[in-house]
Amino acid sequence: MDVLEIMSNLDCVVPYYQPIFSADEHKIIGYEVLGRYIEGEAIHSLGQFFHDEDTPDDYRREVEDVILRKALDAFLKAERTEMLFVNRRAAGLLEDYGESFLAILDEYAERGLKYEQIVLEISEADYSKSLDNVLRYYKTLGIRLAVDHIGEVDGDIRHFAGSSPDILKISLRALRKDASDQSYKNIVYSLSMFARKLGASLLFETVEAEYQLQYAWKNGGRYYQGFYLSEPSPEFAQPDGQKEMLREKCSRFITYEKQALSSVYALADQLESGLSAIIAKSKSVSKEKLLEDIAQEFDEMCFRLYICDENGFELTPNYFKKDGRWIFQPEYLNKNWSWRPYFLENIVRMNKNGGGLISDLYNDIETGETIRTFSCPVNEHEYLFFDIPYEYLYDQDGLLY
């Protein structure tokens, strides 16, 4: 679309509203404002207009303001009590330290708008440390902050932590390309942990299929947005319109998750029972012979075994299955693994509970494949680590979830 045509017909520029749903109440808690251009019967997204670097900044800001004012007029007229998600470019806010944007909100606050109803969206790629003071001031007024396109660009996601964002938005577009991409899933897991540390909520956008909604639910998403739930509309959708559907979907997700967890814990019980029997019979044999006995009994379920002390030092070589044959790898003797996440925590948990633990899914550093690790005490000061290969997990219900 021609930029000058848009600027000459600002009356054709209108806001559309895409609902954002909550996991806890299963209803709409807010609407993201999106720009559209009406040309006869055709409705055009203004995304390209806003993201094209050739669009002059003053044109972009003028259109942003037109959309914002029209959205706020409709929002107040409809007496909405939800939140309104408003996108702004960092460069535009920095030009006058956010005063013109705030002036518009002040104007509507006099008409009944609550600052707490506004969520300002800033793209991670567009974010600048220079914005921190502006954003912190906004937050003192009650305006919330959402950071969009999290994890989609190279950079350090910690650079916006100083602004204490309320919401981190994660796109599920990559998951649509490859639902089995464990690397993407690991990134999302890291982002969910980061959000927890910040005290921020996760909003998963571009939810376009049920499996993506399930993934968002499983990975700590408090809010959901996407065509699967509701497309952008010139009107505000009814908050409870999808409540029954979401409740039914979440009930199914809960049932499936409980079944998957039962499968994982059943595997842990099976391993603990079998290993305990072998360990009890092998108290007089060497540690290496113990590993050989375990490998013989659990050949299909394991590809690597080793024993560590309570501080993470390996007391044995790795016993590793290579091309179907078990071999010792002496180069691992005396290596220390205490630096691994949760290693020492798991040692303490095993000491306290007196039993074994099974890990979440993760990518093995050396093989690159998705695995789980089962660990259990050999005695008061020594611990067995039992790595379960992808092939075995794949063949069992619920173990790759």
Side-chain angles (χ1 to χ4, degrees):
M1 287 172 46
D2 183 72
V3 172
L4 292 178
E5 178 185 349
I6 294 172
M7 299 308 299
S8 299
N9 297 279
L10 291 178
D11 56 322
C12 296
V13 171
V14 299
Y16 266 49
Y17 312 99
Q18 186 167 29
I20 295 166
F21 296 82
S22 74
D24 44 8
E25 297 182 88
H26 303 127
K27 70 177 186 178
I28 295 171
I29 53 83
Y31 306 85
E32 180 176 3
V33 179
L34 303 170
R36 295 291 185 263
Y37 183 80
I38 309 299
E39 187 178 30
E41 297 296 319
I43 302 170
H44 304 281
S45 168
L46 288 173
Q48 183 177 355
F49 170 86
F50 285 120
H51 295 116
D52 190 338
E53 294 300 324
D54 292 331
T55 302
D57 287 339
D58 55 340
Y59 287 6
R60 188 182 290 112
R61 285 191 297 276
E62 186 172 356
V63 172
E64 283 180 339
D65 288 348
V66 167
I67 293 170
L68 177 60
R69 287 181 177 279
K70 289 183 177 182
L72 290 173
D73 284 334
F75 195 68
L76 291 179
K77 183 178 180 181
E79 298 182 341
R80 303 309 319 175
T81 59
E82 299 81 23
M83 294 183 285
L84 201 63
F85 288 65
V86 179
N87 292 277
R88 302 297 275 202
R89 283 174 62 94
L93 292 174
L94 281 172
E95 188 168 273
D96 61 359
Y97 297 100
E99 290 184 7
S100 59
F101 175 69
L102 186 58
I104 295 175
L105 298 186
D106 288 342
E107 176 186 332
Y108 283 85
E110 295 177 358
R111 295 167 50 185
L113 176 70
K114 297 177 181 177
Y115 294 115
E116 293 82 3
Q117 292 180 279
I118 300 298
V119 181
L120 173 63
E121 283 196 31
I122 301 290
S123 170
E124 182 192 359
D126 195 31
Y127 186 87
S128 167
K129 288 290 289 182
S130 304
L131 268 179
D132 278 354
N133 289 335
V134 173
L135 298 178
R136 278 197 289 264
Y137 178 63
Y138 284 172
K139 285 177 68 67
T140 65
L141 300 175
I143 299 169
R144 305 169 202 254
L145 171 64
V147 181
D148 198 2
H149 303 296
I150 292 292
E152 294 183 25
V153 295
D154 293 332
D156 188 346
I157 60 174
R158 295 174 300 176
H159 62 185
F160 53 77
S163 297
S164 301
D166 301 280
I167 296 170
L168 303 184
K169 293 189 72 173
I170 301 175
S171 172
L172 289 170
R173 189 170 288 111
L175 186 65
R176 187 172 70 244
K177 296 176 183 175
D178 185 358
S180 64
D181 186 353
Q182 188 62 35
S183 296
Y184 171 79
K185 294 177 181 179
N186 290 341
I187 291 171
V188 171
Y189 177 78
S190 298
L191 290 171
S192 69
M193 292 298 100
F194 181 64
R196 182 182 176 189
K197 296 291 185 182
L198 286 179
S201 299
L202 288 185
L203 191 165
F204 284 90
E205 59 182 342
T206 61
V207 176
E208 298 179 2
E210 181 176 327
Y211 76 91
Q212 290 177 317
L213 178 63
Q214 184 174 10
Y215 181 81
W217 172 85
K218 177 179 170 60
N219 284 274
R222 184 179 183 184
Y223 305 125
Y224 316 127
Q225 179 183 17
F227 284 8
Y228 179 72
L229 299 170
S230 183
E231 296 187 14
S233 167
E235 306 295 334
F236 297 105
Q238 289 303 310
D240 292 333
Q242 297 280 37
K243 189 164 189 173
E244 290 306 312
M245 183 273 284
L246 278 171
R247 286 177 64 88
E248 186 271 330
K249 297 292 184 188
C250 285
S251 294
R252 286 169 52 190
F253 299 161
I254 291 167
T255 299
Y256 187 87
E257 175 75 5
K258 289 165 71 174
Q259 291 172 344
L261 288 172
S262 294
S263 296
V264 172
Y265 287 114
L267 173 63
D269 289 343
Q270 177 188 352
L271 289 173
E272 183 156 10
S273 176
L275 290 169
S276 295
I278 296 174
I279 291 169
K281 294 177 183 178
S282 305
K283 288 185 177 180
S284 60
V285 303
S286 68
K287 295 178 178 62
E288 288 76 8
K289 179 63 167 63
L290 173 59
L291 297 183
E292 290 176 335
D293 291 345
I294 293 171
Q296 183 176 355
E297 182 69 23
F298 293 95
D299 184 68
E300 296 301 319
M301 296 176 64
C302 184
F303 74 94
R304 182 168 50 214
L305 294 160
Y306 54 96
I307 295 173
C308 288
D309 68 14
E310 59 196 344
N311 294 320
F313 287 96
E314 276 210 36
L315 303 176
T316 65
N318 279 4
Y319 198 39
F320 183 77
K321 190 196 294 188
K322 184 176 182 181
D323 300 325
R325 293 178 58 250
W326 285 94
I327 61 171
F328 281 106
Q329 298 175 311
E331 63 271 24
Y332 288 91
L333 185 63
N334 294 320
K335 284 200 173 184
N336 184 268
W337 304 115
S338 61
W339 55 269
R340 286 180 169 173
Y342 309 113
F343 185 95
L344 293 178
E345 178 183 340
N346 286 341
I347 294 291
V348 172
R349 287 174 64 193
M350 284 189 283
N351 281 338
K352 184 174 179 61
N353 299 329
L357 299 171
I358 192 164
S359 74
D360 292 335
L361 293 169
Y362 69 97
N363 282 3
D364 183 59
I365 293 175
E366 296 185 6
T367 66
E369 71 175 16
T370 301
I371 70 170
R372 290 183 187 269
T373 295
F374 180 76
S375 53
C376 67
V378 176
N379 55 49
E380 290 183 1
H381 305 290
E382 298 175 355
Y383 303 86
L384 172 71
F385 292 85
F386 181 112
D387 288 340
I388 307 168
Y390 178 85
E391 289 84 357
Y392 180 82
L393 298 172
Y394 180 81
D395 289 335
Q396 311 299 313
D397 288 338
L399 297 186
L400 279 178
Y401 183 64

